[in-house]
PDB file of all heavy atoms in Angstrom:
ATOM      1  N   LYS A  10     -13.122 -16.167 -70.782  1.00 97.00           N
ATOM      2  CA  LYS A  10     -13.697 -17.509 -70.849  1.00 97.00           C
ATOM      3  C   LYS A  10     -15.034 -17.575 -70.135  1.00 97.00           C
ATOM      4  O   LYS A  10     -15.343 -16.724 -69.293  1.00 97.00           O
ATOM      5  CB  LYS A  10     -12.731 -18.531 -70.252  1.00 97.00           C
ATOM      6  CG  LYS A  10     -12.513 -18.331 -68.779  1.00 97.00           C
ATOM      7  CD  LYS A  10     -11.706 -19.475 -68.200  1.00 97.00           C
ATOM      8  CE  LYS A  10     -11.557 -19.298 -66.723  1.00 97.00           C
ATOM      9  NZ  LYS A  10     -10.789 -20.322 -66.077  1.00 97.00           N
ATOM     10  N   VAL A  17     -18.786 -24.855 -62.852  1.00 96.00           N
ATOM     11  CA  VAL A  17     -19.079 -23.756 -61.929  1.00 96.00           C
ATOM     12  C   VAL A  17     -19.362 -24.262 -60.509  1.00 96.00           C
ATOM     13  O   VAL A  17     -19.142 -23.546 -59.541  1.00 96.00           O
ATOM     14  CB  VAL A  17     -20.266 -22.915 -62.476  1.00 96.00           C
ATOM     15  CG1 VAL A  17     -21.604 -23.533 -62.135  1.00 96.00           C
ATOM     16  CG2 VAL A  17     -20.187 -21.482 -61.991  1.00 96.00           C
ATOM     17  N   LEU A  19     -17.702 -26.348 -58.777  1.00 97.00           N
ATOM     18  CA  LEU A  19     -16.454 -26.326 -58.021  1.00 97.00           C
ATOM     19  C   LEU A  19     -16.135 -24.896 -57.578  1.00 97.00           C
ATOM     20  O   LEU A  19     -15.670 -24.664 -56.463  1.00 97.00           O
ATOM     21  CB  LEU A  19     -15.318 -26.916 -58.863  1.00 97.00           C
ATOM     22  CG  LEU A  19     -13.928 -26.901 -58.234  1.00 97.00           C
ATOM     23  CD1 LEU A  19     -13.908 -27.654 -56.915  1.00 97.00           C
ATOM     24  CD2 LEU A  19     -12.898 -27.502 -59.187  1.00 97.00           C
ATOM     25  N   PHE A  36     -13.023 -12.036 -40.950  1.00 98.00           N
ATOM     26  CA  PHE A  36     -13.061 -11.192 -42.146  1.00 98.00           C
ATOM     27  C   PHE A  36     -14.501 -10.873 -42.539  1.00 98.00           C
ATOM     28  O   PHE A  36     -15.397 -11.693 -42.353  1.00 98.00           O
ATOM     29  CB  PHE A  36     -12.352 -11.882 -43.322  1.00 98.00           C
ATOM     30  CG  PHE A  36     -10.844 -11.819 -43.219  1.00 98.00           C
ATOM     31  CD1 PHE A  36     -10.158 -12.627 -42.324  1.00 98.00           C
ATOM     32  CD2 PHE A  36     -10.117 -10.927 -44.005  1.00 98.00           C
ATOM     33  CE1 PHE A  36      -8.776 -12.564 -42.214  1.00 98.00           C
ATOM     34  CE2 PHE A  36      -8.729 -10.858 -43.904  1.00 98.00           C
ATOM     35  CZ  PHE A  36      -8.059 -11.681 -43.005  1.00 98.00           C
ATOM     36  N   GLU A  62       2.418  -0.710 -66.906  1.00 93.00           N
ATOM     37  CA  GLU A  62       3.032  -0.340 -68.189  1.00 93.00           C
ATOM     38  C   GLU A  62       2.319  -0.945 -69.384  1.00 93.00           C
ATOM     39  O   GLU A  62       2.182  -0.319 -70.422  1.00 93.00           O
ATOM     40  CB  GLU A  62       4.492  -0.800 -68.224  1.00 93.00           C
ATOM     41  CG  GLU A  62       5.437   0.189 -67.586  1.00 93.00           C
ATOM     42  CD  GLU A  62       6.885  -0.294 -67.672  1.00 93.00           C
ATOM     43  OE1 GLU A  62       7.121  -1.459 -68.040  1.00 93.00           O
ATOM     44  OE2 GLU A  62       7.778   0.516 -67.375  1.00 93.00           O
ATOM     45  N   PRO A  69     -10.678   6.126 -72.123  1.00 97.00           N
ATOM     46  CA  PRO A  69     -11.369   7.333 -71.667  1.00 97.00           C
ATOM     47  C   PRO A  69     -12.871   7.077 -71.652  1.00 97.00           C
ATOM     48  O   PRO A  69     -13.374   6.420 -72.557  1.00 97.00           O
ATOM     49  CB  PRO A  69     -11.007   8.367 -72.736  1.00 97.00           C
ATOM     50  CG  PRO A  69     -10.598   7.579 -73.930  1.00 97.00           C
ATOM     51  CD  PRO A  69     -10.217   6.212 -73.505  1.00 97.00           C
ATOM     52  N   ILE A  76     -10.274   5.770 -67.233  1.00 98.00           N
ATOM     53  CA  ILE A  76     -10.712   4.768 -66.270  1.00 98.00           C
ATOM     54  C   ILE A  76     -10.134   3.405 -66.647  1.00 98.00           C
ATOM     55  O   ILE A  76      -9.760   3.184 -67.800  1.00 98.00           O
ATOM     56  CB  ILE A  76     -12.252   4.714 -66.141  1.00 98.00           C
ATOM     57  CG1 ILE A  76     -12.899   4.423 -67.493  1.00 98.00           C
ATOM     58  CG2 ILE A  76     -12.788   6.019 -65.584  1.00 98.00           C
ATOM     59  CD1 ILE A  76     -14.411   4.286 -67.420  1.00 98.00           C
ATOM     60  N   PRO A 137       3.834  -9.048 -36.559  1.00 98.00           N
ATOM     61  CA  PRO A 137       4.152 -10.192 -37.426  1.00 98.00           C
ATOM     62  C   PRO A 137       3.218 -11.381 -37.194  1.00 98.00           C
ATOM     63  O   PRO A 137       3.123 -12.273 -38.032  1.00 98.00           O
ATOM     64  CB  PRO A 137       5.589 -10.549 -37.038  1.00 98.00           C
ATOM     65  CG  PRO A 137       5.853  -9.875 -35.735  1.00 98.00           C
ATOM     66  CD  PRO A 137       4.964  -8.681 -35.668  1.00 98.00           C
ATOM     67  N   ALA A 161       4.791 -22.755 -50.012  1.00 97.00           N
ATOM     68  CA  ALA A 161       4.754 -21.339 -49.639  1.00 97.00           C
ATOM     69  C   ALA A 161       6.181 -20.806 -49.668  1.00 97.00           C
ATOM     70  O   ALA A 161       7.077 -21.370 -49.055  1.00 97.00           O
ATOM     71  CB  ALA A 161       4.164 -21.196 -48.244  1.00 97.00           C
ATOM     72  N   PRO A 169      11.297   1.419 -46.122  1.00 96.00           N
ATOM     73  CA  PRO A 169      11.974   2.572 -46.738  1.00 96.00           C
ATOM     74  C   PRO A 169      13.295   2.930 -46.052  1.00 96.00           C
ATOM     75  O   PRO A 169      14.128   3.634 -46.621  1.00 96.00           O
ATOM     76  CB  PRO A 169      10.954   3.703 -46.584  1.00 96.00           C
ATOM     77  CG  PRO A 169       9.635   3.008 -46.481  1.00 96.00           C
ATOM     78  CD  PRO A 169       9.905   1.714 -45.766  1.00 96.00           C
ATOM     79  N   ALA A 187      24.826  -4.341 -67.692  1.00 82.00           N
ATOM     80  CA  ALA A 187      23.927  -3.612 -68.591  1.00 82.00           C
ATOM     81  C   ALA A 187      23.674  -4.306 -69.925  1.00 82.00           C
ATOM     82  O   ALA A 187      22.533  -4.487 -70.329  1.00 82.00           O
ATOM     83  CB  ALA A 187      24.443  -2.195 -68.802  1.00 82.00           C
ATOM     84  N   ASN A 201      13.622   1.130 -61.179  1.00 85.00           N
ATOM     85  CA  ASN A 201      12.974   0.093 -60.365  1.00 85.00           C
ATOM     86  C   ASN A 201      13.788  -1.209 -60.421  1.00 85.00           C
ATOM     87  O   ASN A 201      13.332  -2.222 -60.950  1.00 85.00           O
ATOM     88  CB  ASN A 201      11.543  -0.131 -60.870  1.00 85.00           C
ATOM     89  CG  ASN A 201      10.681  -0.837 -59.840  1.00 85.00           C
ATOM     90  OD1 ASN A 201      11.190  -1.315 -58.823  1.00 85.00           O
ATOM     91  ND2 ASN A 201       9.390  -0.918 -60.099  1.00 85.00           N
ATOM     92  N   ALA A 216      22.086 -13.189 -65.284  1.00 85.00           N
ATOM     93  CA  ALA A 216      22.798 -11.985 -64.834  1.00 85.00           C
ATOM     94  C   ALA A 216      22.585 -11.740 -63.343  1.00 85.00           C
ATOM     95  O   ALA A 216      23.430 -11.176 -62.649  1.00 85.00           O
ATOM     96  CB  ALA A 216      22.339 -10.775 -65.643  1.00 85.00           C
ATOM     97  N   ASP A 225      20.231  -9.725 -46.349  1.00 95.00           N
ATOM     98  CA  ASP A 225      21.462  -9.235 -45.722  1.00 95.00           C
ATOM     99  C   ASP A 225      21.419  -7.737 -45.443  1.00 95.00           C
ATOM    100  O   ASP A 225      22.328  -7.194 -44.823  1.00 95.00           O
ATOM    101  CB  ASP A 225      22.677  -9.540 -46.620  1.00 95.00           C
ATOM    102  CG  ASP A 225      22.865 -11.038 -46.796  1.00 95.00           C
ATOM    103  OD1 ASP A 225      22.506 -11.784 -45.856  1.00 95.00           O
ATOM    104  OD2 ASP A 225      23.333 -11.468 -47.874  1.00 95.00           O
ATOM    105  N   HIS A 234      11.082  -8.592 -37.329  1.00 98.00           N
ATOM    106  CA  HIS A 234       9.719  -8.846 -37.827  1.00 98.00           C
ATOM    107  C   HIS A 234       9.707 -10.148 -38.639  1.00 98.00           C
ATOM    108  O   HIS A 234       8.885 -11.032 -38.399  1.00 98.00           O
ATOM    109  CB  HIS A 234       9.262  -7.663 -38.695  1.00 98.00           C
ATOM    110  CG  HIS A 234       7.840  -7.790 -39.174  1.00 98.00           C
ATOM    111  ND1 HIS A 234       6.784  -7.139 -38.582  1.00 98.00           N
ATOM    112  CD2 HIS A 234       7.298  -8.515 -40.191  1.00 98.00           C
ATOM    113  CE1 HIS A 234       5.660  -7.448 -39.204  1.00 98.00           C
ATOM    114  NE2 HIS A 234       5.938  -8.277 -40.198  1.00 98.00           N
ATOM    115  N   THR A 265       7.212  -8.403 -45.243  1.00 98.00           N
ATOM    116  CA  THR A 265       6.859  -9.761 -45.685  1.00 98.00           C
ATOM    117  C   THR A 265       6.226  -9.802 -47.080  1.00 98.00           C
ATOM    118  O   THR A 265       5.267  -9.085 -47.354  1.00 98.00           O
ATOM    119  CB  THR A 265       5.849 -10.373 -44.687  1.00 98.00           C
ATOM    120  OG1 THR A 265       6.269 -10.038 -43.374  1.00 98.00           O
ATOM    121  CG2 THR A 265       5.757 -11.869 -44.862  1.00 98.00           C
ATOM    122  N   LEU A 293      -1.833   6.858 -50.396  1.00 98.00           N
ATOM    123  CA  LEU A 293      -3.057   7.167 -51.147  1.00 98.00           C
ATOM    124  C   LEU A 293      -3.920   8.208 -50.428  1.00 98.00           C
ATOM    125  O   LEU A 293      -5.091   8.387 -50.753  1.00 98.00           O
ATOM    126  CB  LEU A 293      -3.857   5.892 -51.414  1.00 98.00           C
ATOM    127  CG  LEU A 293      -3.242   4.916 -52.434  1.00 98.00           C
ATOM    128  CD1 LEU A 293      -4.108   3.675 -52.605  1.00 98.00           C
ATOM    129  CD2 LEU A 293      -3.020   5.570 -53.796  1.00 98.00           C
ATOM    130  N   LEU A 321     -19.053 -32.136 -58.842  1.00 90.00           N
ATOM    131  CA  LEU A 321     -19.805 -31.604 -57.711  1.00 90.00           C
ATOM    132  C   LEU A 321     -21.203 -31.161 -58.131  1.00 90.00           C
ATOM    133  O   LEU A 321     -21.914 -30.546 -57.357  1.00 90.00           O
ATOM    134  CB  LEU A 321     -19.058 -30.405 -57.104  1.00 90.00           C
ATOM    135  CG  LEU A 321     -17.707 -30.693 -56.452  1.00 90.00           C
ATOM    136  CD1 LEU A 321     -17.074 -29.399 -55.972  1.00 90.00           C
ATOM    137  CD2 LEU A 321     -17.866 -31.639 -55.277  1.00 90.00           C
ATOM    138  N   GLU A 334     -52.468 -37.217 -69.138  1.00 88.00           N
ATOM    139  CA  GLU A 334     -52.663 -35.814 -68.796  1.00 88.00           C
ATOM    140  C   GLU A 334     -52.870 -35.556 -67.301  1.00 88.00           C
ATOM    141  O   GLU A 334     -52.262 -34.658 -66.729  1.00 88.00           O
ATOM    142  CB  GLU A 334     -53.862 -35.278 -69.585  1.00 88.00           C
ATOM    143  CG  GLU A 334     -53.681 -33.807 -69.951  1.00 88.00           C
ATOM    144  CD  GLU A 334     -54.773 -33.376 -70.909  1.00 88.00           C
ATOM    145  OE1 GLU A 334     -54.893 -33.995 -71.995  1.00 88.00           O
ATOM    146  OE2 GLU A 334     -55.522 -32.465 -70.552  1.00 88.00           O
ATOM    147  N   HIS A 353     -35.123 -30.729 -54.829  1.00 96.00           N
ATOM    148  CA  HIS A 353     -34.969 -30.593 -56.270  1.00 96.00           C
ATOM    149  C   HIS A 353     -35.608 -31.789 -56.975  1.00 96.00           C
ATOM    150  O   HIS A 353     -35.147 -32.917 -56.841  1.00 96.00           O
ATOM    151  CB  HIS A 353     -33.479 -30.475 -56.614  1.00 96.00           C
ATOM    152  CG  HIS A 353     -33.198 -30.385 -58.081  1.00 96.00           C
ATOM    153  ND1 HIS A 353     -31.939 -30.487 -58.597  1.00 96.00           N
ATOM    154  CD2 HIS A 353     -34.025 -30.205 -59.148  1.00 96.00           C
ATOM    155  CE1 HIS A 353     -31.998 -30.376 -59.913  1.00 96.00           C
ATOM    156  NE2 HIS A 353     -33.263 -30.213 -60.267  1.00 96.00           N
ATOM    157  N   MET A 358     -41.855 -32.345 -69.569  1.00 95.00           N
ATOM    158  CA  MET A 358     -43.052 -31.563 -69.893  1.00 95.00           C
ATOM    159  C   MET A 358     -43.484 -31.800 -71.329  1.00 95.00           C
ATOM    160  O   MET A 358     -44.366 -31.107 -71.839  1.00 95.00           O
ATOM    161  CB  MET A 358     -42.790 -30.073 -69.643  1.00 95.00           C
ATOM    162  CG  MET A 358     -42.603 -29.741 -68.176  1.00 95.00           C
ATOM    163  SD  MET A 358     -42.547 -27.975 -67.905  1.00 95.00           S
ATOM    164  CE  MET A 358     -42.437 -27.907 -66.108  1.00 95.00           C
ATOM    165  N   GLU A 385     -51.646 -47.048 -60.988  1.00 88.00           N
ATOM    166  CA  GLU A 385     -51.288 -46.736 -59.602  1.00 88.00           C
ATOM    167  C   GLU A 385     -52.159 -45.607 -59.066  1.00 88.00           C
ATOM    168  O   GLU A 385     -52.655 -45.674 -57.947  1.00 88.00           O
ATOM    169  CB  GLU A 385     -49.812 -46.328 -59.487  1.00 88.00           C
ATOM    170  CG  GLU A 385     -48.842 -47.483 -59.442  1.00 88.00           C
ATOM    171  CD  GLU A 385     -48.596 -48.051 -60.816  1.00 88.00           C
ATOM    172  OE1 GLU A 385     -48.747 -47.299 -61.804  1.00 88.00           O
ATOM    173  OE2 GLU A 385     -48.304 -49.258 -60.905  1.00 88.00           O
ATOM    174  N   LYS A 388     -55.353 -46.412 -57.729  1.00 93.00           N
ATOM    175  CA  LYS A 388     -55.289 -46.993 -56.371  1.00 93.00           C
ATOM    176  C   LYS A 388     -54.867 -45.956 -55.342  1.00 93.00           C
ATOM    177  O   LYS A 388     -54.596 -46.279 -54.190  1.00 93.00           O
ATOM    178  CB  LYS A 388     -54.258 -48.146 -56.353  1.00 93.00           C
ATOM    179  CG  LYS A 388     -54.704 -49.374 -57.109  1.00 93.00           C
ATOM    180  CD  LYS A 388     -53.708 -50.522 -56.830  1.00 93.00           C
ATOM    181  CE  LYS A 388     -53.166 -51.084 -58.130  1.00 93.00           C
ATOM    182  NZ  LYS A 388     -51.926 -51.785 -57.989  1.00 93.00           N
ATOM    183  N   MET A 396     -33.060 -45.496 -57.868  1.00 94.00           N
ATOM    184  CA  MET A 396     -32.338 -45.693 -59.127  1.00 94.00           C
ATOM    185  C   MET A 396     -31.045 -46.491 -58.950  1.00 94.00           C
ATOM    186  O   MET A 396     -30.464 -46.950 -59.924  1.00 94.00           O
ATOM    187  CB  MET A 396     -32.040 -44.350 -59.792  1.00 94.00           C
ATOM    188  CG  MET A 396     -33.294 -43.632 -60.270  1.00 94.00           C
ATOM    189  SD  MET A 396     -34.184 -44.571 -61.548  1.00 94.00           S
ATOM    190  CE  MET A 396     -33.302 -44.037 -63.015  1.00 94.00           C
ATOM    191  N   VAL A 402     -41.203 -49.034 -54.241  1.00 95.00           N
ATOM    192  CA  VAL A 402     -42.216 -49.154 -53.178  1.00 95.00           C
ATOM    193  C   VAL A 402     -43.392 -48.247 -53.497  1.00 95.00           C
ATOM    194  O   VAL A 402     -43.198 -47.162 -54.056  1.00 95.00           O
ATOM    195  CB  VAL A 402     -41.647 -48.763 -51.783  1.00 95.00           C
ATOM    196  CG1 VAL A 402     -40.675 -49.799 -51.267  1.00 95.00           C
ATOM    197  CG2 VAL A 402     -40.999 -47.386 -51.836  1.00 95.00           C
TER     198      VAL A 402
END
Side-chain angles (χ1 to χ4, degrees):
K10 66 172 183 181
V17 83
L19 177 58
F36 283 75
E62 275 181 349
I76 58 177
N201 198 350
D225 297 330
H234 184 100
T265 318
L293 289 179
L321 294 177
E334 213 171 302
H353 178 191
M358 293 189 176
E385 279 79 26
K388 289 189 235 159
M396 293 297 275
V402 289

